[in-house]
C-alpha cells in the first residue's frame, strides 16, 4: 500500500460512524430517525404554543421556549450527519465543514448549559421569593439571561476553535466517531498536542463541571424547600423536580466523561456521545414542559384553534370547536 504524503494538508475527514454492520445500521437509522422527529415535534410544539398563547408570556415559559429552540438547534447540528452516515458506507466530511460542526455544536451546548442555569435561578426565585417573583424575573432580566447564555456559548466555542485552528493537520484523517468533535480531531494534528489538550480540557471540562455543580446545588435547594414548606401539589412538584435532576445528570455526566479527562479512545465514547447529542434534546421538552398542566391546556387550545381556523362560525362549529370566540361587538364567548 502506498504511504500517504504527510506534507499535504488534510482537506477532509473520514467518519467511521457508529457501526460497520449493515443490519445494525438499518435498525439504528429507524431508531434515530424516530428520535429526531420526536425532538422536532416536541420542541416545535412548545415554541409555537408559547408564542401564540398570551397566558404563557411569563418568565418561566420564555426560558422554556428558548431551551426548546436550543434543543432543536443542538439536535440538528449532529443528528442529520449521523442519519446520513447510517445510510452510506462512504462517510466523509470536509475539513471546514468539520470545523463549523464543532463550532456550532459547542456554541449551542454552551448556551444551553447557561440557559439551564437561568432556568434554575428562575425556579429558585419562584420558590424562595414568590411575592417578588415577577419583580425580580422581569422581561429585562429574562432577556439578559438569554443574551448572556448566547454570548457565553459563543465565547466558549470561539476560544476552542481558535486553539484548534492553530494546529497543523497533514497526516491521518480517520475519525472514530459519527460526528466531528474536539477529542478526536485534536489527536490527528501533526504536532505535539499535550498543551492544546490541557487547554481544551480546561475550557470544556472545567466549564461543564462548574455548571453541573451550580445546577445540582440549585435544584437541591429547590427540592428541600418543596419538601419542607409546600403542601398543595407537593408530590407532583417533587416528581417534576426529581425528573429535571435526572435529565441534568443524563446531559452533564456523559459530557464530563468525554471532555473532563485526557482525550483517549474508549469503546463507550460513541455510545455516551449519543446520549447528549440525540437523546437529551428529545427528553428535555418531555420533562421540563410537556408534563406541565398549564402547557397541556395551552397546547389543547392551540390545537382547537388550528382545527377550527378557516371554518365559517355557525351553531354547529361553535359546539364542535371549544375555543374563545369574539363577537362583532368585541365581546368574548368562551366555551366551557
Amino acid at each position: 500500500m502506498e504511504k500517504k504524503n504527510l506534507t499535504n494538508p488534510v482537506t477532509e475527514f473520514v467518519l467511521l460512524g457508529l457501526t460497520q454492520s449493515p443490519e445494525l445500521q438499518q435498525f439504528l437509522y429507524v431508531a434515530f430517525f424516530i428520535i429526531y422527529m420526536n425532538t422536532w415535534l416536541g420542541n416545535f410544539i412548545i415554541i409555537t404554543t408559547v408564542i401564540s398563547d398570551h397566558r404563557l408570556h411569563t418568565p418561566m415559559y420564555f426560558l422554556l421556549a428558548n431551551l426548546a429552540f436550543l434543543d432543536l438547534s443542538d439536535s440538528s447540528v449532529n443528528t442529520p450527519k449521523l442519519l446520513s452516515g447510517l445510510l452510506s458506507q462512504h462517510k466523509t466530511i470536509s475539513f471546514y465543514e468539520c470545523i463549523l460542526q464543532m463550532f456550532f455544536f459547542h456554541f449551542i451546548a454552551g448556551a444551553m448549559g447557561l440557559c439551564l442555569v437561568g432556568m434554575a435561578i428562575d425556579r429558585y426565585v419562584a420558590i424562595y421569593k414568590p411575592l417578588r417573583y415577577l419583580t425580580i424575573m422581569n422581561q429585562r432580566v429574562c432577556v439578559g439571561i438569554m443574551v448572556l447564555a448566547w454570548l457565553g456559548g459563543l465565547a466558549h466555542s470561539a476560544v476552542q476553535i481558535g486553539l484548534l485552528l492553530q494546529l497543523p493537520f497533514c497526516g491521518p484523517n480517520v475519525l472514530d466517531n459519527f460526528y466531528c468533535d474536539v477529542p478526536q480531531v485534536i489527536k490527528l494534528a501533526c504536532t505535539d498536542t499535550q498543551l492544546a489538550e490541557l487547554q481544551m480540557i480546561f475550557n470544556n471540562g472545567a466549564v461543564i463541571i462548574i455548571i453541573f455543580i451550580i445546577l445540582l446545588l440549585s435544584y437541591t435547594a429547590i427540592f428541600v424547600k418543596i419538601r419542607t414548606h409546600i403542601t398543595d401539589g407537593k408530590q407532583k412538584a417533587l416528581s417534576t423536580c426529581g425528573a429535571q435532576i435526572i435529565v441534568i445528570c443524563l446531559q452533564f455526566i456523559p459530557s464530563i466523561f468525554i471532555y473532563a479527562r485526557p482525550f483517549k479512545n474508549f469503546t463507550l465514547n460513541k455510545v455516551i456521545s449519543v446520549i447528549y447529542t440525540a437523546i437529551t434534546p428529545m427528553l428535555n421538552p418531555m420533562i421540563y414542559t410537556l408534563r406541565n398542566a398549564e402547557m397541556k391546556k395551552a397546547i389543547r387550545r392551540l390545537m382547537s384553534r388550528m382545527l377550527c381556523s378557516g371554518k365559517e362560525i355557525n351553531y354547529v362549529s361553535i359546539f364542535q370547536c371549544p375555543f374563545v370566540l369574539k363577537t362583532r361587538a368585541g365581546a368574548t364567548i368562551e366555551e366551557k
Side-chain angles (χ1 to χ4, degrees):
M1 182 181 293
E2 186 178 338
K3 289 186 177 181
K4 186 178 182 66
N5 187 354
L6 299 181
T7 61
N8 292 331
V10 170
T11 58
E12 66 176 18
F13 293 105
V14 178
L15 301 171
L16 295 183
L18 280 177
T19 178
Q20 302 299 316
S21 168
E23 294 78 11
L24 190 55
Q25 283 181 348
Q26 293 175 5
F27 170 78
L28 290 174
Y29 178 84
V30 173
F32 284 115
F33 181 80
I34 293 172
I35 289 172
Y36 188 50
M37 289 298 102
N38 283 334
T39 301
W40 260 92
L41 180 63
N43 287 294
F44 183 76
I45 287 174
I46 290 168
I47 295 168
T48 306
T49 305
V50 172
I51 291 173
S52 64
D53 197 319
H54 70 279
R55 302 181 201 186
L56 300 183
H57 293 175
T58 62
M60 181 180 76
Y61 291 105
F62 170 78
L63 295 173
L64 285 172
N66 277 276
L67 178 65
F69 177 76
L70 286 167
D71 280 325
L72 272 183
S73 305
D74 186 39
S75 177
S76 298
V77 171
N78 295 323
T79 308
K81 194 67 181 177
L82 167 62
L83 292 172
S84 65
L86 290 171
L87 290 178
S88 172
Q89 296 300 320
H90 186 62
K91 312 173 187 74
T92 60
I93 184 171
S94 71
F95 178 83
Y96 291 107
E97 187 183 350
C98 180
I99 294 295
L100 283 174
Q101 189 180 54
M102 288 188 288
F103 172 80
F104 283 110
F105 175 60
H106 288 277
F107 174 26
I108 295 165
M112 185 183 298
L114 295 174
C115 178
L116 289 172
V117 172
M119 290 171 58
I121 294 171
D122 172 77
R123 290 300 84 205
Y124 182 89
V125 173
I127 294 293
Y128 280 86
K129 305 285 184 182
L131 298 180
R132 298 181 57 203
Y133 172 65
L134 291 178
T135 304
I136 297 172
M137 296 300 297
N138 55 53
Q139 183 179 7
R140 185 176 178 181
V141 170
C142 292
V143 172
I145 287 173
M146 287 313 305
V147 170
L148 287 175
W150 283 104
L151 290 177
L154 178 63
H156 161 70
S157 185
V159 168
Q160 191 161 233
I161 298 303
L163 291 171
L164 198 64
L165 286 174
Q166 294 178 13
L167 301 175
F169 293 92
C170 53
N173 66 337
V174 178
L175 295 172
D176 188 15
N177 210 339
F178 59 91
Y179 71 108
C180 281
D181 202 5
V182 173
Q184 291 81 37
V185 173
I186 198 172
K187 285 294 186 182
L188 300 182
C190 341
T191 185
D192 182 17
T193 60
Q194 188 173 0
L195 179 60
E197 284 186 45
L198 289 175
Q199 292 172 327
M200 297 292 186
I201 291 169
F202 177 79
N203 186 36
N204 268 319
V207 169
I208 294 169
I209 291 171
I210 291 170
I211 291 176
F212 184 51
I213 292 172
I214 291 172
L215 289 173
L216 282 184
L217 291 176
S218 301
Y219 277 102
T220 299
I222 293 168
F223 192 86
V224 171
K225 183 72 171 180
I226 292 172
R227 190 169 184 177
T228 55
H229 292 82
I230 294 178
T231 54
D232 295 337
K234 181 176 183 178
Q235 292 302 319
K236 186 175 181 181
L238 287 173
S239 173
T240 301
C241 186
Q244 291 176 358
I245 291 173
I246 290 171
V247 171
I248 287 170
C249 290
L250 279 174
Q251 185 157 347
F252 281 88
I253 291 177
S255 300
I256 291 171
F257 177 81
I258 296 294
Y259 298 108
R261 60 173 176 80
F263 296 153
K264 292 183 180 179
N265 226 355
F266 291 101
T267 307
L268 288 177
N269 279 7
K270 287 188 280 189
V271 177
I272 292 172
S273 298
V274 166
I275 296 174
Y276 58 79
T277 57
I279 305 299
T280 52
M282 180 186 68
L283 292 179
N284 278 343
M286 296 180 183
I287 299 299
Y288 280 99
T289 313
L290 297 180
R291 298 171 80 241
N292 183 290
E294 190 175 357
M295 176 59 75
K296 290 178 183 177
K297 291 177 183 177
I299 291 173
R300 285 196 288 268
R301 289 194 296 268
L302 177 63
M303 293 298 106
S304 296
R305 289 197 298 269
M306 291 175 63
L307 289 172
C308 300
S309 62
K311 292 183 179 180
E312 181 181 356
I313 299 176
N314 50 40
Y315 288 105
V316 176
S317 63
I318 289 175
F319 285 103
Q320 287 177 342
C321 304
F323 66 106
V324 178
L325 304 174
K326 288 189 177 179
T327 62
R328 291 182 181 179
T332 301
I333 305 170
E334 183 173 359
E335 293 293 320
K336 302 293 182 183

